[in-house]
Amino acid sequence: MLAAVVALVLAATIFVVDAFTPLGMAVAVLYVLVVLLAAKFYDRQKLIAVAVVCGLLTLLAFAVSHGADIESTAFARCLISLAAIGITTLLVLQNKAAEQALREQANLLDVTHDAIIVRDRDDIIRYWNTGAEKLYGWTAEQARGRRSYELLNAVFPLPLASIKDVLDATGKWEGEVTHSKRDGSTVVVASRWALQRDARGEPMAVLETNNDVSQQRRAEDDLRQAQSNLAHVNRVSTLGEMTASIAHEVSQPIAAIVASSGAATRWLAAGNMDEVKQSLARISRDGHRASDVIGRIRAMAMKLPPRQDRVRINEAIREVLMLARGEADRAGADVRLDLAPNLPAVAADRVQIQQVLLNLVVNAFEAMTAGDRTPRELVVSSRMNGDGFVEVSVSDNGPGFTDEQLERVFDAFYTTKSNGIGMGLAICKSIVEAHEGKLWAEKNLPRGAVFQFTLPSIEANSAGRTQ
């Protein structure tokens, strides 16, 4: 209301000066001030009405002051005034349209559930939408002017300087960031940054969009925990099925210890110290052998959180085959190794990878036992596949798979065994894929089956992170 009164008084003053004072200048140009003042408070229609009134007042003042005696100079001043009013009105209307478009866009940003933050190159928050208010708890007034990573106590996956280097080079960055809310709780967000540049191409601001993925990450953690529990049950079940082989594997060094201790006693009575020393050495060797077997069984049976060890795959293969040696004897199968030398290490959970190997090896022995009495052979090989992955192959010459069985072999609860539950291979597949590898099966011509899996080498992982 006050603005309307001020505009009215200003228009009246300009009209009086223009109509009743003999000033030789385009006084009506001052109506531009009335238009600019009205633009602050009136909508489009009212602004046009104000401009029309200013134009009419200009013409009326010209008629009052000059009547029928029209001078060319005075007429030119009148036209200049009308042009100034018209041009100013047009520019103001364009500016109001742009402002309206920006407001609509800002309203759209407020409608979205994502938290949207605009910050300058010093990370000072300039815009903070409704989604950010709901997610973090600070209002826009409280957040604006604060440094974003200090306000949110941000924990980045990389040093902030490295992230800014990527942002400057590519114009964008995305990753998961942990933020603190106003109430002190934390939230994990999928954060996407876009760099805004000015007309000269210089960095001007950063548009940051954050989406809460905390529940998704918790669900993924719960799923990984469930998979870990299931894998542990599978390991224990597999070891239970191998009870006879494990007992045989442990009893052999124990029997050898007993025999060597008896021999040592006899040689000691005979006074032959050289033979006593040899018997004691055999006792020590077989004791370590029994301890190693028990250690491997204990490691497989324990329930431990997943780890990222530096695993030499050939060593892991040999350890598993030593544990399954009794199964090979029971199946009457020869075991042949074709291991590539000098393979790079893989970053993996050693127990989980050995669980995969043990499942594949035991399945192969069981498959060959179910077949005819032709010579049975298990071949375990390792190599680099050319893509930076270490590839392991376990092949047998058992009955193999039909096409239908091959398509479903990794399905949960699908089994070709009379006493199986169909979870072993499904668990193996989930373990390998969790290590960013791949597990698949093929027919082994002329007969049998081949299971192969890949794991990324540490060198390949490092190269991927630096690219």
Side-chain angles (χ1 to χ4, degrees), residues 4 6 25 137 139 166-167 174 181 192 203 245 256 289 300 393 411:
V6 171
M25 56 179 292
T139 65
V166 174
L167 185 64
E174 60 182 57
K181 297 183 179 182
R192 297 179 298 279
S245 296
R289 178 182 165 191
M300 292 287 286
S393 173
D411 290 351

Side-chain angles (χ1 to χ4, degrees), residues 374-387:
T374 56
R376 298 165 180 170
E377 183 181 52
L378 176 78
V379 180
V380 182
S381 62
S382 64
R383 69 182 184 93
M384 289 296 294
N385 70 355
D387 295 325

Side-chain angles (χ1 to χ4, degrees), residues 99-178:
E99 288 180 353
Q100 180 63 28
L102 288 175
R103 278 194 296 271
E104 291 174 355
Q105 292 173 2
N107 290 336
L108 287 176
L109 294 180
D110 273 335
V111 169
T112 181
H113 295 292
D114 292 342
I116 297 179
I117 304 169
V118 177
R119 47 191 172 81
D120 61 22
R121 288 295 292 167
D122 294 324
D123 293 313
I124 302 301
I125 297 170
R126 299 306 180 192
Y127 176 78
W128 182 272
N129 78 333
T130 303
E133 291 183 343
K134 293 179 179 178
L135 178 60
Y136 297 117
W138 286 282
T139 65
E141 290 75 14
Q142 293 168 334
R144 280 196 296 265
R146 303 278 298 275
R147 186 165 275 108
S148 62
Y149 61 82
E150 292 178 351
L151 175 67
L152 301 174
N153 195 25
V155 179
F156 299 104
L158 298 171
L160 183 57
S162 300
I163 294 176
K164 287 187 175 182
D165 288 341
V166 174
L167 185 64
D168 289 337
T170 65
K172 60 182 180 179
W173 177 83
E174 60 182 57
E176 288 191 0
V177 183
T178 301

Side-chain angles (χ1 to χ4, degrees), residues 40-358:
K40 295 281 187 181
F41 306 98
Y42 292 151
D43 59 18
R44 179 184 178 86
Q45 288 76 18
K46 290 181 179 179
L47 179 62
I48 293 174
V50 169
V52 170
V53 169
C54 289
L56 292 175
L57 289 175
T58 300
L59 293 174
L60 180 60
F62 178 79
V64 170
S65 60
H66 297 284
D69 184 16
I70 301 177
E71 298 178 358
S72 59
T73 302
F75 185 68
R77 289 197 298 269
C78 179
L79 291 179
I80 290 172
S81 299
L82 293 174
I85 295 169
I87 292 172
T88 301
T89 303
L90 179 61
L91 293 176
V92 168
L93 289 174
Q94 290 178 343
N95 185 57
K96 289 182 73 67
E99 288 180 353
Q100 180 63 28
L102 288 175
R103 278 194 296 271
E104 291 174 355
Q105 292 173 2
N107 290 336
L108 287 176
L109 294 180
D110 273 335
V111 169
T112 181
H113 295 292
D114 292 342
I116 297 179
I117 304 169
V118 177
R119 47 191 172 81
D120 61 22
R121 288 295 292 167
D122 294 324
D123 293 313
I124 302 301
I125 297 170
R126 299 306 180 192
Y127 176 78
W128 182 272
N129 78 333
T130 303
E133 291 183 343
K134 293 179 179 178
L135 178 60
Y136 297 117
W138 286 282
T139 65
E141 290 75 14
Q142 293 168 334
R144 280 196 296 265
R146 303 278 298 275
R147 186 165 275 108
S148 62
Y149 61 82
E150 292 178 351
L151 175 67
L152 301 174
N153 195 25
V155 179
F156 299 104
L158 298 171
L160 183 57
S162 300
I163 294 176
K164 287 187 175 182
D165 288 341
V166 174
L167 185 64
D168 289 337
T170 65
K172 60 182 180 179
W173 177 83
E174 60 182 57
E176 288 191 0
V177 183
T178 301
H179 286 154
S180 295
K181 297 183 179 182
R182 188 180 182 184
D183 62 8
S185 62
T186 59
V187 59
V188 179
V189 298
S191 189
R192 297 179 298 279
W193 299 4
L195 182 64
Q196 297 174 311
R197 299 182 183 273
D198 59 22
R200 296 175 299 173
E202 295 296 325
M204 179 179 64
V206 176
L207 174 65
E208 178 179 338
T209 304
N210 296 328
N211 179 33
D212 183 2
V213 294
S214 300
Q215 291 185 350
Q216 179 182 342
R217 292 296 167 263
R218 282 193 290 270
E220 290 175 356
D221 289 342
D222 291 343
L223 177 60
R224 279 193 292 269
Q225 184 61 48
Q227 290 175 334
S228 176
N229 293 339
L230 192 58
H232 176 247
V233 171
N234 176 255
R235 284 200 301 274
V236 174
S237 175
T238 302
L239 291 174
E241 294 173 2
M242 296 174 60
T243 301
S245 296
I246 292 172
H248 174 73
E249 193 69 18
V250 175
S251 65
Q252 276 191 328
I254 292 176
I257 290 171
V258 172
S260 296
S261 64
T265 301
R266 290 192 299 273
W267 289 119
L268 185 62
N272 190 335
M273 300 308 296
D274 290 337
E275 290 294 342
V276 171
K277 290 179 180 178
Q278 291 180 16
S279 296
L280 291 176
R282 287 194 294 271
I283 290 173
S284 177
R285 181 194 63 204
D286 290 326
H288 285 300
R289 178 182 165 191
S291 177
D292 289 342
V293 173
I294 294 172
R296 285 193 293 271
I297 296 169
R298 183 173 179 271
M300 292 287 286
M302 287 182 67
K303 187 177 184 298
L304 297 173
R307 297 175 51 177
Q308 285 290 305
D309 301 318
R310 187 180 181 88
V311 178
R312 294 288 179 182
I313 199 68
N314 288 348
E315 294 177 4
I317 291 171
R318 290 190 178 95
E319 289 178 1
V320 167
L321 290 176
M322 287 181 65
L323 191 60
R325 187 162 49 189
E327 293 295 311
D329 294 340
R330 190 166 64 174
D334 292 327
V335 178
R336 182 164 62 87
L337 294 179
D338 182 18
L339 307 180
N342 303 320
L343 287 176
V346 296
D349 186 299
R350 188 183 192 88
V351 171
Q352 289 190 355
I353 297 305
Q354 288 186 321
Q355 175 181 353
V356 172
L357 287 164
L358 186 63

Side-chain angles (χ1 to χ4, degrees), residues 6-58:
V6 171
L8 180 61
V9 171
L10 180 60
T13 302
I14 295 171
F15 174 75
V16 170
V17 172
D18 189 25
F20 302 109
T21 59
L23 295 177
M25 56 179 292
V27 176
V29 171
L30 296 177
Y31 284 120
V32 168
L33 298 177
V34 178
V35 173
L36 293 175
L37 182 61
K40 295 281 187 181
F41 306 98
Y42 292 151
D43 59 18
R44 179 184 178 86
Q45 288 76 18
K46 290 181 179 179
L47 179 62
I48 293 174
V50 169
V52 170
V53 169
C54 289
L56 292 175
L57 289 175
T58 300

